[in-house]
Amino acid sequence: FAPLANAKKNYDAGGFVNFYPSGFKKKVTFSFGLLLKYTAFTFSKNTGTSALVVYEPTNGSQLATIATIGTHSFLSKFLVLKTSVGLGGFNMRGDYKTEYNAFVNSSNTTGQTVSYTFLPKLYIGINLGFYL
């Protein structure tokens, strides 16, 4: 969100599917899986000209698909620690794509216009929970 003016994250929501190749026979188990993560945010888009900057509030979102790896550790009979790290990406659309590419091209000294539609996304998660 760094290049967007007045950016503010509203919420995150996601779901994941994990596969545990060795089951839960050991105290620490390796997993890999797939995560879908939705992020909604607001920001201000530039609706002015090069001589006059005018900002107008707007909304944006990201729907990322992320491949994950991690561990599932039993700390006690009922306490579980789950860690995961993932790498994936998301497509940009609408005002978000326009504003991001305007920012990138404003500092471009080669004279060629670039247009990004896909950006990478890194996910790091640590969860503590109860096992019943």
Side-chain angles (χ1 to χ4, degrees):
F1 303 129
L4 300 175
N6 302 317
K8 179 182 178 250
K9 182 167 68 169
N10 296 335
Y11 65 90
D12 284 327
F16 57 88
V17 175
N18 286 331
F19 178 67
Y20 297 89
S22 63
F24 293 106
K25 298 173 186 164
K26 299 178 181 179
K27 187 174 182 176
V28 178
T29 304
F30 171 76
S31 70
F32 61 91
L34 188 66
L35 167 69
L36 291 176
K37 184 172 181 286
Y38 179 80
T39 304
F41 55 92
T42 57
F43 65 97
S44 297
K45 69 178 180 176
N46 183 2
T47 59
T49 63
S50 59
L52 178 66
V53 177
V54 177
Y55 287 109
E56 178 181 310
T58 190
N59 298 316
S61 65
Q62 299 175 352
L63 179 59
T65 304
I66 303 169
T68 62
I69 59 171
T71 62
H72 188 108
S73 306
F74 288 96
L75 301 176
S76 71
K77 187 176 179 182
F78 300 108
L79 192 60
V80 177
L81 178 67
K82 182 178 178 193
T83 62
S84 60
V85 175
L87 185 61
F90 62 94
N91 286 322
M92 293 188 294
R93 299 182 307 266
D95 291 336
Y96 182 27
K97 179 180 173 182
T98 304
E99 287 297 305
Y100 182 83
N101 285 318
F103 172 78
V104 169
N105 287 313
S106 68
S107 60
N108 187 351
T109 58
T110 64
Q112 294 182 358
T113 302
V114 295
S115 180
Y116 291 101
T117 58
F118 179 84
L119 289 178
K121 185 124 179 147
L122 175 68
Y123 174 79
I124 300 170
I126 299 172
N127 302 65
L128 186 62
F130 293 101
Y131 181 78
L132 301 174

